[in-house]
Amino acid sequence: MSIAEADINIQPDAQAVYRAWSKSRNPVRMLEELKQGLGPCNPALIALFVSSNLPYEDVVGPLAAAYPQSQLVGCTTAGSLTATSYEGDGAVAVAFDHSAFSFQICPLTNLNAFSMASSGEAIEAAYFSLLRDLTPDQKHFFAMLLVDGLSRREEEIAASTYAALDAVPIFGASAGDNLNFDTTQIFLNGKVLEDTALVVLGASSRPVEVFKLEHFSPTEDRVVVTSADPQRRVVWSINAEPAADEYARLIGADVGALTPEIFAANPLLVRVGGDYHVRAIQKVTPDGALHFYCAIDEGIVLTLAHPQDMRDNLNQHMGRLSERIGGIELALCFDCILRRLEAERLGITGDLLEIFDHFRMIGFNTYGEQYRFLHLSQTLTGLAIGGGKR
């Protein structure tokens, strides 16, 4: 494995996006380090992502207050991804400068009573508001979703956003809480919220590209879901057998040995529109069912996945992406927690850090990812920002 040779150490017209991170557990020190990293930025928007293990409540408000001219969005996480760390703790921030970016935010509250119709109308209204305020050179659009990771509304939110925005590229993430599955929070302008999602609409004068990658290919081993509750994301039976038993048989493991690390190494795939997408397992329920990170319908055919080398896959994908947009100034990354668990199991975290650093990647570990109209798992989605105007 060697780092792609694409020249990403570009000299942009002027810096338009800033990144910062902190590993401190002290909120005062954390705030200082984040502000120092954001430097001279005059942000139109700050995206803040803080591990649920840390005192995020003591950082969200003060950071928003430190940049009163900026909007602030973010969420709790299952870990951080930076040039120097890939672990369960940490806080990261990305600031988008006024000189190159404009934003509108559409909050979607009370997800327990989510309505696709009313949400679609609100998203359309926010998009039209964004269009009215743009400078002529801000012609590159994107939409970022941040969703309460325990709401189980990601499929509907992604679908309604896609329908409302037509050709605008969409990427997103489900907030995490370090595999506790207890509570996940969304940040908005100094407030910490639950049962909420944000649709963050952006436009830039810089070239941008929304991307998605995963490092699995399909095998010949297939099974059929024969009993499931899609709304709860629970599969009761596979091939008319108890789901956990049949999955364990498929991968050659004992049911008692099924752990998040085993799930990360042996995901299942579903075919949508001719492409395969990962359907990762979250846990085994006490009655032997499988709880997935995404909705699974009865009758769906699932295919056992074969892993590729995560390092080569990431390096090659990011290298091609860098070439397409003329170099990467920053890549904001939403990375499934199962990818990090797999990297830890394989002992390749150090190799991945080199790639993160080379391509200026920063982000967090999620409970699910959104791309276009889909809610996914065990993938990496993100926004790559080029270094010059186009």
Side-chain angles (χ1 to χ4, degrees):
M1 189 275 298
S2 61
I3 298 292
E5 296 181 356
D7 179 14
I8 57 85
N9 294 313
I10 51 177
Q11 297 298 320
D13 300 336
Q15 189 168 351
V17 61
Y18 295 72
R19 57 180 178 164
W21 61 87
S22 173
K23 296 177 66 174
S24 176
R25 303 189 67 86
N26 181 294
V28 174
R29 181 60 180 164
M30 189 191 308
L31 183 64
E32 291 175 350
E33 291 177 349
L34 293 176
K35 290 168 61 178
Q36 182 179 7
L38 299 184
C41 185
N42 177 25
L45 181 100
I46 296 173
L48 173 67
F49 308 110
V50 187
S51 168
S52 65
N53 291 338
L54 302 178
Y56 52 86
E57 302 98 331
D58 299 326
V59 177
V60 174
L63 187 63
Y67 297 90
Q69 80 285 5
S70 173
Q71 300 188 85
L72 183 143
V73 300
C75 64
T76 55
T77 78
S80 57
L81 182 161
T82 77
T84 61
S85 63
Y86 193 36
E87 59 188 53
D89 284 344
V92 303
V94 175
F96 301 84
D97 198 271
H98 266 293
S99 64
F101 291 91
S102 291
F103 291 94
Q104 284 288 335
I105 301 171
C106 178
L108 304 176
T109 58
N110 191 21
L111 296 183
N112 187 52
F114 181 79
S115 164
M116 291 188 67
S118 60
S119 295
E121 292 173 359
I123 295 166
E124 284 186 345
Y127 181 48
F128 292 141
S129 180
L130 174 69
L131 294 177
R132 287 193 295 268
D133 295 336
L134 296 182
T135 60
D137 60 345
Q138 292 179 340
K139 56 187 179 181
H140 304 288
F141 294 91
F142 57 91
M144 177 174 71
L145 308 182
L146 298 174
V147 187
D148 183 330
L150 300 179
S151 68
R152 298 199 297 267
R153 293 294 190 182
E154 292 96 337
E155 286 89 356
E156 295 162 284
I157 292 169
S160 60
T161 304
Y162 183 83
L165 298 182
D166 192 21
V168 175
I170 299 166
F171 73 109
S174 305
D177 69 344
N178 283 283
L179 297 178
N180 292 314
F181 304 111
D182 181 28
T183 179
T184 59
Q185 280 77 31
I186 298 296
F187 311 150
L188 177 60
N189 296 331
K191 297 180 179 180
V192 177
L193 308 170
E194 294 184 9
D195 199 31
T196 296
L198 304 178
V199 181
V200 182
L201 304 167
S204 180
S205 58
R206 297 296 172 88
V208 301
E209 183 173 328
V210 166
F211 64 92
K212 174 187 75 76
L213 61 92
E214 60 275 306
H215 62 289
F216 293 97
S217 57
T219 68
E220 296 299 319
D221 296 318
R222 294 179 174 84
V223 296
V224 178
V225 175
T226 46
S227 178
D229 183 342
Q231 186 172 1
R232 295 175 56 199
R233 300 176 179 173
V234 174
V235 172
W236 304 108
S237 68
I238 296 174
N239 291 343
E241 299 290 340
D245 290 345
E246 186 66 2
Y247 172 76
R249 183 199 65 77
L250 183 67
I251 66 173
D254 184 81
V255 173
L258 297 180
T259 64
E261 290 76 14
I262 295 297
F263 298 143
N266 300 276
L268 298 167
L269 305 177
V270 62
R271 194 170 186 178
V272 180
D275 295 323
Y276 284 95
H277 302 282
V278 180
R279 286 293 182 264
I281 301 167
Q282 184 185 107
K283 61 184 178 181
V284 177
T285 65
D287 54 0
L290 295 176
H291 193 142
F292 283 72
Y293 281 96
C294 301
I296 302 287
D297 288 308
E298 291 183 4
I300 291 293
V301 175
L302 297 175
T303 301
L304 185 64
H306 175 73
Q308 303 167 1
D309 189 291
M310 187 188 299
R311 299 161 296 182
D312 290 341
N313 175 273
L314 179 63
N315 184 47
Q316 292 166 10
H317 189 103
M318 297 305 293
R320 292 192 294 267
L321 175 55
S322 178
E323 292 176 356
R324 287 197 299 270
I325 65 173
I328 298 174
E329 182 175 354
L330 182 140
L332 175 57
C333 301
F334 297 158
D335 180 60
C336 183
I337 177 60
L338 294 179
R339 288 173 57 88
R340 198 191 81 224
L341 293 179
E342 183 182 2
E344 292 172 349
R345 180 182 65 85
L346 296 175
I348 61 173
T349 299
D351 293 336
L352 291 173
L353 288 176
E354 293 182 19
I355 302 173
F356 298 160
D357 184 34
H358 187 75
F359 291 107
R360 300 183 62 82
M361 300 170 69
I362 188 168
F364 72 95
N365 295 126
T366 78
Y367 278 179
E369 305 76 53
Q370 293 86 54
Y371 178 73
R372 302 182 67 212
F373 56 88
L374 295 171
H375 174 54
L376 307 169
S377 53
Q378 209 158 346
T379 65
L380 188 154
T381 61
L383 177 73
I385 301 162
K389 294 183 179 180
R390 283 188 177 182

